[in-house]
Amino acid sequence: MSLLNQALRAALDARKDLLAELHQQGTNCYRLFHGSQEGAGGLTVDRYGPQLLVQSFHQTLELDALLAVHETVNRELGLETLLVYNDRSQGNSRIDRQDPVYRANEAALADLTAQEWGLNYRVRARHAGQDPLLFLDLRNARGWVKAHSAGKTVLNLFAYTCGVGLSAAAGGAREVCNLDFAEGNLAVGRENGALNPHLPEMQFVQSDYFPAIRQLAGLPITQRRGQKLPSYPRLQQRQYDLVFLDPPAWAKSAFGTVDLLRDYQSLLKPALLSTADDGVLICCNNLAKVSLDDWREQVLRCAEKAGRPVREWQVMPPASDFPSRDQQPPLKTLILQL
């Protein structure tokens, strides 16, 4: 038995109780092998409903090893999953779409549906972007939102494919607004909504983060000297009962720069001001090089300076299918009671 197969079997064995719990709660999306922490750095194995997505980030996986992974997972789960292999070990984590190792069949690459917390989600192994349409390590946070949204107004910032918004709608939110710069992301969010026709309709706003959140917060939108700002949707100043802030690590636009390492405050302050009194702000930081303790202190100081001191806070760690030997997972989530 290869070292990879041994590590995979150990990982599957460690997840038996968790998978039973997830299946009972209506979830068939989860990480089966977290290679960086379980013996094969740069390799991940994820289940998205009927699909098994294997991705390598450091080096290409050989065909025999890939097929052995697929066989082991199928035997353990008692399923015939549809295999897709994305080799992202070449420059800049781009998917090798030539499929020199393994070419997935049409059924595996078709639009599929998977479930989390009893909700339906669109699954596509290959699409215009690079990452899967549902980030699995945020599952616990989406579950918290679903359990705490009844009767609330919810603002989902950097909404991506709107999983947090969908969870809020399922939890009985009075109003849900999903905001993202990319129309393609929001289009998938609309698909997710259509896959759950029993839920109330959500709102979708396509906008750069900075002009949108600064309008909601009642802050001016500054113009760089000599530069004309692009057009943007006009929004009224208002606050929401629950705000979810999950920015990418880095992004730049004409309105500002998203930089989780050097300037989280410029993202956080207007989000704080857009959160109602006695409301909740959930904020995330996915940079591995940022420690939870340092970032938490930075967040609490920023809230104090913004005049929105935090009354209570709690850390929401990823579930155990994302193990962390040092208890410092890359994704850090804080739930702030204002």
Side-chain angles (χ1 to χ4, degrees):
M1 185 186 300
S2 70
L3 292 177
L4 172 57
N5 211 266
Q6 289 180 35
L8 176 61
R9 286 173 181 271
L12 293 172
D13 188 60
R15 285 164 171 74
K16 283 184 177 179
D17 290 345
L18 173 65
L19 297 190
E21 178 184 336
L22 292 175
H23 295 160
Q24 189 172 21
Q25 70 186 209
T27 294
N28 60 16
C29 298
Y30 38 72
R31 176 148 293 180
L32 291 165
F33 187 66
H34 193 52
S36 64
Q37 302 294 307
E38 296 184 290
L43 182 67
T44 60
V45 180
D46 296 322
R47 181 187 175 192
Y48 286 91
Q51 179 191 97
L52 188 71
L53 178 61
V54 179
Q55 300 198 96
S56 56
F57 295 85
H58 294 172
Q59 60 185 26
T60 301
L61 194 61
E62 298 292 336
L63 178 60
D64 288 348
L66 174 65
L67 296 180
V69 166
H70 190 207
E71 180 183 358
T72 299
V73 169
N74 281 350
R75 185 167 56 249
E76 183 66 29
L77 296 182
L79 299 171
E80 288 295 329
T81 57
L82 299 167
L83 176 63
V84 177
Y85 172 52
N86 287 340
D87 182 11
R88 301 175 63 176
S89 62
Q90 309 307 312
N92 200 27
S93 284
R94 294 290 173 183
I95 295 170
D96 187 345
R97 299 178 185 274
Q98 301 303 311
D99 290 327
V101 175
Y102 177 85
R103 187 176 296 277
N105 62 41
E106 291 185 9
L109 295 175
D111 283 3
L112 300 171
T113 304
Q115 287 76 39
E116 181 191 85
W117 296 106
L119 299 171
N120 294 321
Y121 286 90
R122 171 63 66 224
V123 175
R124 288 189 185 97
R126 301 276 174 82
H127 55 93
Q130 301 299 312
D131 294 313
L133 298 179
L134 186 68
F135 288 118
L136 302 180
D137 54 353
L138 205 61
R139 182 178 63 245
N140 278 357
R142 286 189 291 266
W144 193 96
V145 169
K146 185 172 182 283
H148 295 84
S149 293
K152 296 182 179 179
T153 57
V154 177
L155 175 63
N156 182 20
L157 300 166
F158 298 99
Y160 192 44
T161 56
C162 309
V164 167
L166 195 70
S167 298
R174 177 161 48 92
E175 178 186 351
V176 178
C177 179
N178 298 291
L179 187 144
D180 197 272
F181 177 73
E183 173 55 36
N185 293 342
L186 296 177
V188 177
R190 293 186 181 93
E191 286 188 60
N192 287 334
L195 289 171
N196 297 273
H198 60 289
L199 298 183
E201 291 188 7
M202 302 181 289
Q203 300 171 23
F204 302 89
V205 176
Q206 182 189 2
S207 174
D208 185 286
Y209 174 75
F210 290 104
I213 197 65
R214 293 185 72 84
Q215 288 179 90
L216 292 173
L219 298 172
I221 300 170
T222 57
Q223 183 172 340
R224 295 179 180 177
R225 181 175 298 178
Q227 292 187 5
K228 183 179 179 181
L229 291 176
S231 61
Y232 54 88
R234 268 32 181 198
L235 303 174
Q236 295 295 318
Q237 180 180 352
R238 63 165 297 182
Q239 293 181 322
Y240 289 80
D241 301 318
L242 192 157
V243 176
F244 199 99
L245 175 64
D246 183 20
W250 192 90
K252 188 174 184 180
S253 76
F255 297 96
T257 300
V258 174
D259 188 342
L260 302 197
L261 181 63
R262 299 173 186 84
D263 191 15
Y264 200 93
Q265 297 92 320
S266 67
L267 305 172
L268 184 62
K269 179 182 176 181
L272 285 160
L273 297 177
S274 300
T275 306
D277 291 339
D278 297 322
V280 175
L281 172 62
I282 304 176
C283 50
C284 303
N285 189 319
N286 58 30
L287 274 184
K289 64 179 68 176
V290 175
S291 79
L292 171 62
D293 290 343
D294 291 345
W295 175 62
R296 182 186 64 238
E297 291 308 310
Q298 181 186 48
V299 166
L300 296 179
R301 283 198 308 271
C302 181
E304 196 76 34
K305 288 181 180 179
R308 303 305 312 278
V310 174
R311 293 187 294 110
E312 297 179 23
W313 58 266
Q314 71 177 91
V315 176
M316 175 62 67
S320 57
D321 51 333
F322 284 82
S324 175
R325 294 193 201 103
D326 62 1
Q327 304 305 308
Q328 293 285 331
L331 176 64
K332 295 159 284 288
T333 302
L334 286 173
I335 300 174
L336 309 176
Q337 303 279 345
L338 302 185

